[in-house]
Amino acid sequence: MAGFAALGVWQLERRAWKLELIDRVERRIHAEPVPAPGPETWPSIDAAGYAYRRVRLTGRFLHDRETLVQAVTELGGGYWVLTPLVTPQGMTVLVNRGFVAGDRREPGASSAGNPVGETQVTGLLRISEPDGFLRRNDPAAGRWYARDVAAIAAARGLADVAPYFVDADASSDVSSNGPGGPRGGLTVVAFNNHHLIYALTWFVLALMAGGAGLFVLLPERRR
């Protein structure tokens, strides 16, 4: 009974943490964009402090080193177009310019949306994704399933790469230049929050365990 009750309390604590996380992320995604973190802050970047911040950066895209990562969105199956952006300060940031349909898999098929020259990007800072468990990235074959910044940078021969990537928003010029170009603004910001249900389940089990204990012990005491 004590064990079930402790698990219920733990789930209530998890619920409080999740509600605080949701509130923090909501405030970040609706805030004014700030400059993308530079190299001096890279060692301290983590999900708690930086994920989903609205950032802006300016630079030049290296379209010949873009990477297509498999994705499923509200538009169907296709690919995220991740393109390195080199800033005037010399740092490189992978920018998820948006989604393209599956029939644009071949190199150059999404070039209709390629901006040239210096470009400004506004979007959400995302933490690098670990390699998948069921489907692992295969750089040699050009098959990517997770947006693993370090692995993509190594495969594309990039240096001084930020340990995060940026999801371009729908208003960015990088996401919708021309027909068939990448479509941005499709970031899904959602968190599962079933902790209250879990807590109630554990508390009910605690009551059931207590009831079962009484059912066993009371006849013993009468005897």
Side-chain angles (χ1 to χ4, degrees):
M1 180 179 180
F4 287 140
L7 288 171
V9 172
W10 174 63
Q11 285 295 336
L12 290 179
E13 294 173 347
R14 292 279 296 172
R15 179 175 182 269
W17 167 80
K18 185 64 69 65
L19 291 175
E20 194 277 332
L21 171 65
I22 293 172
D23 178 67
R24 182 170 69 242
V25 169
E26 281 293 318
R27 284 186 275 110
R28 286 179 182 175
I29 64 178
H30 293 107
E32 288 297 313
V34 297
E40 67 280 358
T41 62
W42 290 354
S44 62
I45 288 180
D46 57 13
Y50 289 87
Y52 297 104
R53 281 191 181 186
R54 287 195 72 207
V55 298
R56 64 175 181 272
L57 62 161
T58 302
R60 178 177 53 85
F61 280 111
L62 304 179
H63 294 292
D64 59 331
R65 302 193 192 184
E66 75 176 21
T67 300
L68 299 183
V69 181
Q70 285 197 14
V72 177
T73 71
E74 62 188 44
L75 303 178
Y79 302 91
W80 297 123
V81 180
L82 266 68
T83 310
L85 180 100
V86 180
T87 71
Q89 295 75 30
M91 73 175 186
T92 302
V93 179
L94 287 182
V95 175
N96 176 13
R97 292 170 49 220
F99 175 83
V100 293
D103 60 357
R104 309 193 74 79
R105 174 69 177 84
E106 295 304 318
S110 59
S111 60
N114 286 353
V116 295
E118 191 168 271
T119 306
Q120 187 173 68
V121 178
T122 303
L124 299 179
L125 186 151
R126 305 292 307 280
I127 301 300
S128 178
E129 297 174 346
D131 205 351
F133 173 69
L134 296 178
R135 297 190 304 174
R136 301 184 64 84
N137 292 331
D138 185 355
R143 296 191 182 92
W144 298 90
Y145 306 102
R147 291 169 289 187
D148 186 330
V149 171
I152 292 175
R156 296 293 179 260
L158 302 172
D160 299 319
V161 180
Y164 57 83
F165 62 94
V166 174
D167 278 349
D169 59 28
S171 63
S172 293
D173 291 337
V174 302
S175 60
S176 58
N177 283 356
R183 178 172 173 180
L186 297 179
T187 305
V188 176
V189 183
F191 301 93
N192 292 326
N193 186 17
H194 305 302
H195 298 293
L196 182 58
I197 296 175
Y198 298 153
L200 292 175
T201 301
W202 289 123
F203 288 137
V204 168
L205 289 173
L207 291 175
M208 293 175 63
L214 289 175
F215 180 79
V216 172
L217 293 176
L218 287 179
E220 292 293 326
R221 292 190 60 186
R222 288 197 296 269
R223 188 175 297 114

